[in-house]
Amino acid sequence: QGTLTLVTNERGGIVDDLIVTNTSEDHLYVVSNAGCAEKDLAVMKDRAAELQAAGSDVHLEVSDNALLALQGPSMARVLQAGLSDDLSKLFFMNSITTTVFGVPGCRVMRCGYTGEDGVEISVPAGRAVELAERLLGVPEVWPAGLAARDSLRLEAGLCLYGNDIDETTTPAEAGLLWTLGKRRRAAMDFPGAAVIMAQVKEKPKRRRVGLTSGRVLGLPALAHLPAHLMAPGMVTSGCPSPSLGKNIAMGYVEAAHSRAGTELTVEVRKKQHPAVITKMPFVPTQYYMPK
């Protein structure tokens, strides 16, 4: 079983968002953002050393695996042809270690960053190209770059680290308090707990919201644009939505003005454009859940 979780700092900011899997092999399997791997590893090494000094049986291993994501409505049919395991029994945020199209030692997690039914395949680095070529040999499988992925993750209302969340953003502001379990809330045994739990009680001063507009709100090169409401805000991600045929974005506004349906203006290249705060996800997700 896997889950999204956050690494926080003493100010309550988000150092990174991770997928952590409680495996059946007596260890936790952690997948970080590639750009945050070094700082995440430093945090984990420090914590492991603290636990070891206290007598805990803890050690840290670093994998050199690559990660391939296969996403979309045809994923299960395409992947099933290369598996002996039954994908219909693998639900969202669950994983198995298996052989994929002849490549052993792959961890297949039913998740992804598109809002679609999909998997992320952790594959030994030396055979990643081989597996990618096998998958691309299927006529309906196409390579997708980060821009294509970004439009899908934005339609699904998912945060991108470095754009929508960073070390100055708290889980409460980002709408990610669901990652914080009851036990951790009660124990307050994580970095920044005092700041974050105060925001849980008193509510944050700003919130992450979705925006829609008939005009382009931003592209990857135009992140961190000023948004104007009755109080300042900030657009953090934006692009034309291929599924909706209109422009979507997310950003932060003062909590008092964060209700869906609120109209505001967004400044793009020194021009003002109308926008409306909209509930997320913009497009319904298609995660494979138990019936």
Side-chain angles (χ1 to χ4, degrees), residues 68 101 103 126-139 141:
L68 298 175
F101 285 102
V103 180
R127 303 193 69 177
V129 172
E130 172 189 344
L131 180 56
E133 289 176 343
R134 288 293 303 271
L135 291 170
L136 289 170
V138 180
V141 177

Side-chain angles (χ1 to χ4, degrees), residues 105-176:
C106 296
R107 178 168 292 279
V108 177
M109 167 72 83
R110 198 151 194 167
C111 70
Y113 221 54
T114 62
E116 297 294 320
D117 182 25
V119 293
E120 290 185 341
I121 307 169
S122 180
V123 53
R127 303 193 69 177
V129 172
E130 172 189 344
L131 180 56
E133 289 176 343
R134 288 293 303 271
L135 291 170
L136 289 170
V138 180
E140 61 207 283
V141 177
W142 288 69
L146 288 178
R149 189 288 311 265
D150 204 44
S151 68
L152 291 168
R153 72 91 192 166
L154 187 52
E155 289 181 342
L158 302 174
C159 294
L160 178 64
Y161 192 83
N163 279 46
D164 310 301
I165 52 176
D166 57 29
E167 294 193 29
T168 68
T169 312
T170 70
E173 293 171 333
L176 296 174

Side-chain angles (χ1 to χ4, degrees), residues 180-190 193 197:
L180 187 55
K182 290 182 179 179
R183 182 185 69 79
R184 303 306 296 274
R185 294 185 188 212
M188 293 184 64
D189 57 351
F190 55 93
M197 294 311 298

Side-chain angles (χ1 to χ4, degrees), residues 259-263 276-279:
R259 187 183 298 274
T262 301
E263 296 181 356
V276 179
I277 293 180
T278 306
K279 288 184 178 180

Side-chain angles (χ1 to χ4, degrees), residues 239-259:
C239 71
S241 167
S243 302
L244 300 178
K246 57 184 175 182
N247 301 289
I248 59 175
M250 69 170 69
Y252 289 84
V253 298
E254 287 193 349
H257 307 294
S258 61
R259 187 183 298 274

